């Protein structure tokens, strides 16, 4: 089911809590789910043919980041919302260990209207590019591999996206290509 981003209803928000979905960010299209749902997180790994490696999350709020990661409000506000993933040390190593087995967690708050809808769920959301390992990220729904599309029930279409995601590790920017 492809839904234009302007047609989001409260009913859809409750469905997003239980499904894997494709959605727009301020840079590229992502595939995600409730990051607390271990079964759905594992299913995303299977969809992407990605057995290992950490995922990042879209944080439900800045306060959520401060509660769960070692950082300060000024660092967060400098980069978020925006096209950055901040790699932060978790306060508890086992926090979301099925998302990231390391002591670090990638955290984002995209600067896109759909992010505000995701934040209404009040949960962290898995955020990873909606492509298979050897493919480039998708800027349009039509660029998404059909093998992925057929495994997802909800697709939020916001037209063509044109950003470039970046990662910040200890304040150093790493631009993804």
């Amino acid at each position: 089911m492809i839904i234009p981003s302007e047609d989001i209803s409260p009913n859809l928000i409750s469905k997003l809590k239980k499904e894997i979905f494709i959605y727009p960010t301020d840079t590229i299209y992502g595939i995600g789910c409730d990051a607390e749902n271990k079964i759905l997180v594992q299913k995303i790994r299977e969809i992407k043919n990605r057995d290992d490696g950490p995922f990042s999350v879209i944080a439900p709020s800045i306060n959520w980041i401060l509660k769960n990661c070692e950082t300060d409000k000024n660092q967060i506000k400098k980069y978020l919302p925006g096209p950055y993933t901040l790699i932060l040390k978790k306060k508890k190593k086992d926090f979301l260990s099925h998302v990231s087995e390391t002591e670090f967690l990638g955290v984002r708050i995209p600067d896109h209207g759909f992010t505000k809808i995701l934040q209404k769920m009040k949960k962290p959301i898995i955020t990873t590019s909606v492509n298979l390992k050897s493919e480039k990220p998708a800027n349009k729904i039509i660029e998404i591999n059909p093998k992925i599309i057929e495994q997802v029930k909800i697709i939020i279409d916001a037209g063509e996206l044109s950003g470039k995601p970046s990662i910040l590790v200890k304040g150093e920017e790493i631009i993804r290509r």
Side-chain angles (χ1 to χ4, degrees), residues 147-166:
K147 291 177 186 174
I148 294 175
I149 295 277
E150 66 190 26
Q151 297 183 70
V152 177
K153 291 182 182 173
I154 301 171
I155 300 168
I156 308 301
D157 188 353
E160 187 169 359
L161 306 174
S162 60
K164 290 200 188 262
S166 297

Side-chain angles (χ1 to χ4, degrees), residues 20-36:
I20 292 172
F21 52 92
I22 293 171
Y23 60 91
T25 71
D26 50 357
T27 56
I28 57 176
Y29 278 91
I31 185 169
C33 65
D34 171 358
E36 295 172 346

Side-chain angles (χ1 to χ4, degrees), residues 4 8 11-12 73 83 99 105 125 129 131 135-136 161 163 167:
I8 304 299
N11 185 35
L12 179 65
K73 202 172 208 170
V99 173
L105 181 66
I125 303 298
S129 58
N131 59 297
E135 298 174 340
K136 66 178 224 167
L161 306 174
I167 297 175

Side-chain angles (χ1 to χ4, degrees), residues 18-117:
K18 302 172 193 152
E19 300 284 348
I20 292 172
F21 52 92
I22 293 171
Y23 60 91
T25 71
D26 50 357
T27 56
I28 57 176
Y29 278 91
I31 185 169
C33 65
D34 171 358
E36 295 172 346
N37 186 320
K38 292 178 182 179
I39 294 168
L40 293 180
V41 172
Q42 181 57 37
K43 178 77 172 148
I44 289 177
R45 289 189 188 284
E46 292 167 12
I47 289 170
K48 288 191 57 134
N49 294 324
R50 187 173 152 187
D51 294 333
D52 60 350
F55 282 136
S56 296
V57 298
I58 293 176
S61 67
I62 288 175
N63 286 337
W64 183 91
I65 298 170
L66 294 170
K67 177 182 172 192
N68 295 296
C69 300
E70 294 179 11
T71 187
D72 65 66
K73 202 172 208 170
N74 291 332
Q75 180 187 19
I76 295 169
K77 288 194 167 195
K78 183 177 178 182
Y79 298 106
L80 302 177
Y84 300 101
T85 299
L86 305 181
I87 306 300
L88 302 173
K89 189 170 185 177
K90 297 187 259 183
K91 288 186 176 177
K92 295 179 183 173
K93 188 175 188 284
D94 62 344
F95 176 69
L96 292 178
S97 60
H98 60 283
V99 173
S100 174
E101 292 180 352
T102 74
E103 62 186 309
F104 296 95
L105 181 66
V107 180
R108 287 205 69 202
I109 299 179
D111 189 12
H112 191 280
F114 187 68
T115 302
K116 298 207 182 320
I117 291 163

